[in-house]
Amino acid sequence: MTDADHRLMTRKADLGETLKSPIPDHGELAEGEVLLALDRFSLTTNNITYAAYGDAIGYWKVFPTGRDDHGLMPVWGFADVAASRAEGVEVGARVFGYFPMADTLLVQAEKVSRGGFADASPWRKAVPDIYNRYVLCAADRHYDPALENSEAIFRPLFVTSYTAVDFLRDAGFFGARRIVVSSASSKTAYGAAWCLEQDDVEVVALTGARNRAFVESLGCYDVVHGYDDLETIPADVPTLYLDLAGDAALRRQVHAHFGEQLTYDCLVGSTQSDSFTMNDPELVGPKPVFFFAATCLDQHRERGTLHAFYERFLADQKTFFQRVIDPASPWIRIVEHQGLDAAAKVVRALADGVSDPAEGAVVRIAR
């Protein structure tokens, strides 16, 4: 590690406020340790969700800071092995996985195979195994260096979109004939809408005035409504709420408007809230149920169906990627930001809800 290695911590009381600080010196690598040098990672509202639920679900524990007031917001991206004392993990190898916003990350490699390895550090047990595995790109037949930015942005999001729709589909959409999707401009939201295109269910977008034109341009929702005209949506059919906003006040409005027609409240994300609000005494109707993609993947692993799921998922994901970056009508433009200082500005915009939904933000770490 050099004197230039830093991390970007997030103040828990204000998720848009960050603090850049040196990474504590870890000394010489011990047996089994691997030092990963980050190259690029994505930043989306999904990362704000990780921070918002940091205490409730354990995300703050994954990359400990030694401080109560600041945590390391997790991100997904690519890194190179800078040093290794783990057999089977070679210096220079490229990996994809879960990282803090930092120049480097020290991990304790275990379960090393041709396809990757896991971090066995005790604090990583706070979250499901899927968050702790690092994929060795050389062994990944779906890896394409030219698509790293797209993969960094959408791979962690689309798996949530895909598993959520799978879960709802398997449950017969809880009897609903309409799905109302909040924060419809978010990448996870329109990924889910894309997955629902062949289902016999109406998909209704809820979005803010600033993002309405973008959401309408996607063409993956049957109808688009602003938050201020929620009550113009007919409450005449069984309706399911797919909540990406996580906003308690909006949830109350949705529940009050659809009343007995609301069959299920599936809480997936928190793009507009920095708190974990599940138990609301003012809420009428079904209680929100938090959807956790990693739990579904762990269940597939326990049932022995994970390989089959991933084969289906990866094929559909490739089709989705092709649609998102279609040169004729791309849904997003990817913008690269250089360094942790630039990352701080992106985090601020995401936390304040003023980021451009048509932009996919990737942070590059200069070497």
Side-chain angles (χ1 to χ4, degrees):
M1 188 177 70
T2 70
D3 292 339
D5 288 327
H6 286 77
R7 58 186 181 177
L8 193 65
M9 297 188 293
T10 299
R11 190 162 77 91
K12 295 180 182 180
D14 179 357
L15 302 183
E17 184 177 326
T18 53
L19 174 65
K20 186 178 177 182
S21 67
I23 298 175
D25 189 359
H26 56 71
E28 296 296 321
L29 264 63
E31 186 67 28
E33 288 187 333
V34 174
L35 184 64
L36 300 172
L38 272 74
D39 175 65
R40 73 185 72 202
F41 59 84
S42 64
L43 280 171
T44 71
T45 53
N46 184 53
N47 303 105
I48 303 301
T49 296
Y50 287 148
Y53 296 163
D55 287 321
I57 297 182
Y59 294 122
W60 288 135
K61 298 177 182 178
V62 179
F63 306 113
T65 63
R67 301 180 55 152
D68 292 332
D69 56 344
H70 284 75
L72 282 165
M73 181 185 293
V75 296
W76 292 90
F78 290 88
D80 298 305
V81 176
S84 175
R85 289 197 60 194
E87 185 176 351
V89 182
E90 302 298 326
V91 172
R94 190 99 166 145
V95 303
F96 175 84
Y98 202 53
F99 298 95
M101 286 191 288
D103 291 322
T104 58
L105 173 67
L106 183 69
V107 301
Q108 179 69 44
E110 71 164 7
K111 302 178 182 176
V112 180
S113 68
R114 188 179 65 86
F117 58 91
D119 183 1
S121 301
W123 45 83
R124 299 294 290 258
K125 299 186 185 301
V127 293
D129 182 66
I130 192 69
Y131 290 101
N132 300 328
R133 293 204 58 80
Y134 292 89
V135 177
L136 288 166
C137 297
D140 182 0
R141 64 186 178 89
H142 298 282
Y143 171 70
D144 181 346
L147 295 177
E148 280 194 348
N149 282 345
S150 297
E151 186 165 0
I153 293 170
F154 283 102
R155 181 166 173 167
L157 303 178
F158 189 67
V159 71
T160 298
S161 307
Y162 196 83
T163 53
V165 170
D166 250 21
F167 162 72
L168 296 175
R169 187 181 289 132
D170 287 347
F173 300 109
F174 294 90
R177 289 161 48 198
R178 174 197 293 130
I179 297 178
V180 173
V181 184
S182 64
S183 196
S185 64
S186 71
K187 297 170 182 64
T188 306
Y190 64 71
W194 182 87
C195 292
L196 288 162
E197 284 184 344
Q198 303 305 315
D199 290 281
D200 186 22
V201 60
E202 182 186 25
V203 184
V204 177
L206 279 180
T207 188
R210 187 175 65 89
N211 295 332
R212 184 163 184 164
F214 169 74
V215 174
E216 290 174 340
S217 74
L218 296 174
C220 59
Y221 295 100
D222 293 307
V223 63
V224 178
H225 284 270
Y227 293 122
D228 55 357
D229 65 355
L230 164 64
E231 295 187 0
T232 66
I233 304 174
D236 56 350
V237 299
T239 299
L240 186 152
Y241 184 37
L242 188 60
D243 186 6
L244 273 296
D247 183 273
L250 175 61
R251 182 182 300 120
R252 292 185 202 117
Q253 285 183 272
V254 168
H255 280 239
H257 176 65
F258 291 104
E260 294 182 356
Q261 293 284 16
L262 190 66
T263 65
Y264 193 78
D265 183 334
C266 185
L267 176 58
V268 178
S270 187
T271 66
Q272 298 175 24
S273 173
D274 61 1
S275 61
F276 190 77
T277 53
M278 294 288 285
N279 299 313
D280 184 349
E282 298 182 34
L283 197 66
V284 297
K287 291 183 179 180
V289 179
F290 186 74
F291 176 79
F292 202 24
T295 300
C296 289
L297 295 176
D298 284 346
Q299 289 171 348
H300 275 293
R301 181 178 291 106
E302 292 169 3
R303 294 195 299 263
T305 57
L306 187 61
H307 178 75
F309 169 84
Y310 266 122
E311 285 298 306
R312 177 166 52 92
F313 162 71
L314 290 170
D316 289 342
Q317 178 180 248
K318 183 176 182 180
T319 304
F320 177 69
F321 283 0
Q322 290 170 337
R323 175 62 195 91
V324 169
I325 62 174
D326 180 2
S329 58
W331 281 358
I332 67 164
R333 62 182 182 277
I334 294 175
V335 179
E336 289 191 356
H337 303 263
Q338 301 298 320
L340 294 177
D341 292 333
K345 296 178 182 178
V346 178
V347 170
R348 180 79 268 176
L350 288 167
D352 291 346
V354 297
S355 59
D356 185 348
E359 174 182 313
V362 171
V363 176
R364 297 295 305 274
I365 302 295
R367 298 292 172 198

